[in-house]
Amino acid sequence: MAYLHLHDPVREETRDIPLRKPLVSLGRGEGNDVMLVDPSLAPTHANLLRKGNHFTMSVVDRATHFMVNGVRARSSDLRVGDEVVIGRFRLTLMEGEPKTAAGGAPTGVAGAPLSEVEAVRKLAEFSRDLAAESNLDTIFQKLLQSVVAITGAEKGFLIAIKDGERVLAAAHNVGRETLDLSRVSDSIVDRVLTDKKPIIVSDALHDAQFASARSVVDLRLSSVMCVPLQWRSEMLGVLYLGNDNVRNLFAQQDLALLEVFSSQAAMLVHQALLLNELKASNRNLRDQLQKSSQGGIIGSSESMKACFKVLKRVSPTDLSVLVLGETGTGKELVAKEVHRLSTRAAKPFISINCGAIPENLLESELFGYKRGAFTGAAGDKVGKFEAADGGTIFLDEIGEMPMALQVKLLRVLQERVIERVGDVKTRPIDIRVISATNKNLEEQIASGHFREDLYYRLNEVTVNLPALRDRADDVIQIAQFLLNKYAEQYGAKAKGYSAGCQNAMRSYYWPGNVRELENRIKKSVIMTDRAQLGPEDLGIEIKERATTLRPLAEAEEDFKTSYIRKALDANGWNKAQTARELDVDARTIFRYIEKMGE
């Protein structure tokens, strides 16, 4: 066996490199069989070609050179004992079994034929390295570096299929100025993509199948190996490896090994593509949510678009806004959005729930109190209205406010002053009032539970929030937003909803509206380990259709029968008059009467 004895005088290191391959590349680039770390060298500086016991070394670029036994050369036959100097490295061609490297470590050779154990180990390392990456460009580059290394190819290309078009995803050991598909044979790639089978071409220029191909002639190809990168029935691309100078470089063993690696790589690339699609989908979802939302309010249904239109128009003004809607529809979100879009956005937003505070405490909460006003009033206290001075006060559940306080609130809205409990001094305030209720205030007025004059003060503009059950188009958008939010918060696996779950959410009544939806999703994210949530995770059932759909012709016939009956009733069953009004032949009326059994 022949080998190269390599000496690095700078680092005082030596190693022996077995020459088992017909072609060994030398240079500073990572893809070379013998990597010589010296910035003065070319990425691939020279090739050592073996034909039997005959060795020839040649530079790759005519602008470079090496020294053989002290003589400058670009190409030279080598005999045992000859010394070659490349950059700072000295290489001597030796015969026999290589010795161990300095320090006792066994020597190895990049690209030498692998044993079965070594091949399995390389495959495991290869899979681990690729699985650790999620960036497609990095995966493609690592994949190509690995297969070039195990096959001993001079250069390699990874051609991906994207939207039916070929794209050069990665190239190895090729100058940047030549990074395009013009460096590969279209004919060979066409055959692999068509047949979905690997190809090994030992001498492309003299191959009966490809010798006449324009790409083979133009590129003066020699050894080529090309395998499909396929996951199940999906063609992801091809791996294309080659050498432009050496014939018979690849053996069937190399092709078999490359097929194994490409099969494993296809699975990992497929997973990376799915992950990229998921990321893109999430980006699209965020964009979609941004386009179909107003501040923190999500919705693209017509009813929500109408709400957003009102909000944008009324927010810059100082008009009082009354927000109407069922419990859990997001009335406070609307109030915050009106404040955010107003000229008062930099000032306080103060919220108070009129139905959550006992009647005897509500007045002091709203308007504050003077020290000594009542037992326990140890000091002066600022009320919600004073705290909101210059900003916005949100009176939630205004329909629960006691009548006595309604009178005082009306005075505040009319005169824009407040009096603290136990104080005679009035204090001017500059506020905007937004109120909300789930009650019908007009009915409250009729029953004497709400003041009509206060209603008109609060209701300068009304915003009606639809119930979630009337926003079927918005349910999935809101649900996905909440799922992303809580999955990230709790580090959960949940990523989406099954089709059955989406149908169930659309048909569910949602008595608690968005608040109920949020609670169910939050619980399911915490309690479920699955990536895709089902209706059982949310605790809702898939309901059967309330009615069974029938063929359109049947439904149309039933409608005609019913409509003609109504027309006959309206005309006192005068057939001729009914036929004239319906603009049909009288025989049509008689036919339907017979069908009715009349």
Side-chain angles (χ1 to χ4, degrees):
M1 172 187 286
Y3 65 94
L4 286 175
H5 178 73
L6 185 149
H7 177 230
D8 182 352
V10 175
R11 294 187 177 181
E12 291 297 329
E13 293 177 352
T14 61
R15 61 189 173 107
D16 294 338
I17 304 168
L19 299 176
R20 299 192 181 100
K21 292 175 53 182
L23 180 74
V24 174
S25 59
L26 305 92
R28 62 178 170 83
E30 290 184 0
N32 293 287
D33 299 319
V34 180
M35 188 174 171
L36 306 173
V37 184
D38 184 335
S40 68
L41 300 182
T44 298
H45 197 89
N47 287 326
L48 181 61
L49 178 63
R50 184 191 69 192
K51 294 182 179 179
N53 294 322
H54 185 78
F55 294 89
T56 302
M57 181 172 285
S58 303
V59 294
V60 174
D61 187 340
R62 297 292 296 175
T64 61
H65 69 277
F66 53 83
M67 306 291 288
V68 180
N69 299 325
V71 178
R72 181 184 175 115
R74 290 191 178 89
S75 179
S76 176
D77 293 336
L78 299 182
R79 292 186 294 272
V80 173
D82 284 347
E83 182 183 74
V84 179
V85 177
I86 303 180
R88 73 168 192 253
F89 298 93
R90 297 180 181 276
L91 301 100
T92 306
L93 183 62
M94 308 291 287
E95 190 172 18
E97 288 296 323
K99 302 173 184 178
T100 57
T107 59
V109 55
L114 301 176
S115 66
E116 290 186 7
V117 173
E118 182 70 7
V120 171
R121 186 181 67 81
K122 287 282 187 184
L123 181 61
E125 292 175 356
F126 169 76
S127 301
R128 183 182 64 245
D129 289 345
L130 260 62
E133 288 290 342
S134 58
N135 181 276
L136 267 181
D137 290 338
T138 306
I139 287 177
F140 286 153
Q141 201 61 50
K142 284 191 172 184
L143 164 59
L144 202 52
Q145 287 175 0
S146 298
V147 296
V148 166
I150 64 167
T151 58
E154 178 190 15
K155 61 191 67 175
F157 301 86
L158 195 156
I159 302 166
I161 305 300
K162 185 176 181 181
D163 299 327
E165 299 292 329
R166 299 176 192 179
V167 179
L168 182 60
H172 186 69
N173 211 21
V174 181
R176 291 185 178 275
E177 69 280 0
T178 55
L179 280 178
D180 58 61
L181 289 176
S182 66
R183 296 300 305 276
V184 302
S185 168
D186 290 336
S187 303
I188 294 175
V189 174
D190 287 343
R191 178 55 58 86
V192 172
L193 290 175
T194 301
D195 296 346
K196 297 182 180 180
K197 293 179 180 179
I199 286 179
I200 184 169
V201 183
S202 299
D203 183 1
L205 283 172
H206 299 90
D207 186 272
Q209 191 173 10
F210 298 108
S212 60
R214 178 66 181 271
S215 58
V216 171
V217 175
D218 289 348
L219 295 171
R220 300 191 61 79
L221 300 178
S222 291
S223 298
V224 176
M225 189 160 52
C226 188
V227 299
L229 198 61
Q230 183 176 0
W231 172 247
R232 294 179 179 169
S233 60
E234 183 181 358
M235 183 65 74
L236 305 177
V238 298
L239 289 171
Y240 180 102
L241 309 177
N243 187 288
D244 300 344
N245 302 307
V246 182
R247 298 190 298 271
N248 302 308
L249 177 61
F250 304 120
Q252 286 299 324
Q253 177 187 354
D254 298 312
L255 186 62
L257 189 60
L258 184 59
E259 282 190 85
V260 173
F261 274 66
S262 65
S263 297
Q264 181 70 7
M267 180 181 69
L268 297 170
V269 169
H270 178 73
Q271 291 174 346
L273 286 169
L274 289 180
L275 181 60
N276 268 25
E277 287 178 8
L278 181 59
K279 289 179 179 177
S281 178
N282 284 338
R283 285 194 298 270
N284 291 337
L285 177 62
R286 285 194 293 270
D287 293 342
Q288 185 181 357
L289 288 174
Q290 188 174 4
K291 291 176 182 177
S292 61
S293 64
Q294 177 66 54
I297 313 165
I298 298 169
S300 57
S301 60
E302 291 304 316
S303 55
M304 290 308 298
K305 288 179 181 178
C307 284
F308 296 157
K309 186 176 181 180
V310 173
L311 293 185
K312 289 177 180 178
R313 290 200 172 188
V314 73
S315 295
T317 73
D318 257 353
L319 293 173
S320 296
V321 178
L322 177 62
V323 186
L324 302 176
E326 295 181 5
T327 299
T329 49
K331 296 187 288 294
E332 185 166 358
L333 279 178
V334 170
K336 288 180 178 178
E337 184 62 12
V338 171
H339 175 71
R340 186 184 73 85
L341 296 175
S342 74
T343 56
R344 300 173 180 267
K347 298 294 183 178
F349 174 88
I350 304 295
S351 174
I352 185 168
N353 189 321
C354 301
I357 300 173
E359 182 177 347
N360 60 330
L361 299 178
L362 183 57
E363 182 179 1
S364 61
E365 281 294 317
L366 288 173
F367 307 124
Y369 55 77
K370 186 75 175 172
R371 179 182 178 183
F374 50 82
T375 303
D380 293 351
K381 180 186 176 181
V382 174
K384 300 292 187 182
F385 272 80
E386 273 190 89
D389 190 35
T392 304
I393 188 165
F394 174 54
L395 303 174
D396 198 7
E397 302 302 340
I398 189 68
E400 302 291 339
M401 180 174 282
M403 286 293 288
L405 270 182
Q406 289 182 32
V407 176
K408 295 185 178 182
L409 176 59
L410 179 62
R411 178 171 177 257
V412 170
L413 296 179
Q414 287 174 334
E415 301 179 11
R416 298 291 162 166
V417 295
I418 61 105
E419 287 182 11
R420 293 179 180 176
V421 176
D423 195 3
V424 294
K425 178 184 177 182
T426 60
R427 301 170 188 269
I429 54 169
D430 173 25
I431 57 169
R432 182 183 195 170
V433 178
I434 303 175
S435 53
T437 183
N438 61 355
K439 292 188 174 183
N440 187 323
L441 292 185
E442 292 181 351
E443 291 180 1
Q444 294 283 94
I445 291 169
S447 63
H449 290 94
F450 202 84
R451 293 183 62 95
E452 186 174 11
D453 47 4
L454 176 60
Y455 172 72
Y456 289 115
R457 282 286 180 183
L458 296 172
N459 187 25
E460 291 180 321
V461 176
T462 303
V463 175
N464 286 289
L465 277 181
L468 187 58
R469 60 182 169 275
D470 298 326
R471 300 169 55 192
D473 293 340
D474 296 339
V475 172
I476 306 305
Q477 283 184 356
I478 299 171
Q480 188 63 53
F481 171 81
L482 294 170
L483 179 62
N484 293 346
K485 171 184 173 182
Y486 289 116
E488 181 177 352
Q489 180 177 335
Y490 296 110
K493 296 179 180 178
K495 300 296 181 185
Y497 303 93
S498 67
C501 187
Q502 293 184 35
N503 291 333
M505 284 192 288
R506 286 191 182 97
S507 61
Y508 184 64
Y509 188 72
W510 297 113
N513 290 291
V514 179
R515 186 177 293 121
E516 179 186 357
L517 174 64
E518 182 171 12
N519 289 343
R520 288 178 181 267
I521 291 173
K522 186 176 182 180
K523 177 183 176 182
S524 65
V525 165
I526 296 171
M527 302 299 294
T528 307
D529 291 330
R530 289 182 292 192
Q532 201 172 57
L533 300 182
E536 64 279 4
D537 295 311
L538 297 183
I540 55 179
E541 297 179 357
I542 302 177
K543 294 184 178 180
E544 298 295 330
R545 291 179 184 268
T547 57
T548 302
L549 293 177
R550 295 177 299 153
L552 182 61
E554 282 186 27
E556 184 181 11
E557 190 66 18
D558 285 351
F559 172 78
K560 287 181 178 178
T561 302
S562 174
Y563 193 73
I564 289 173
R565 179 187 287 277
K566 289 180 181 179
L568 286 166
D569 288 339
N571 287 292
W573 282 74
N574 184 318
K575 289 83 171 176
Q577 179 64 23
T578 300
R580 282 194 295 272
E581 288 193 1
L582 297 182
D583 195 24
V584 295
D585 191 277
R587 287 172 295 184
T588 300
I589 302 299
F590 281 104
R591 181 168 61 83
Y592 275 96
I593 290 174
E594 289 178 5
K595 186 176 180 181
M596 298 173 202
E598 299 292 343

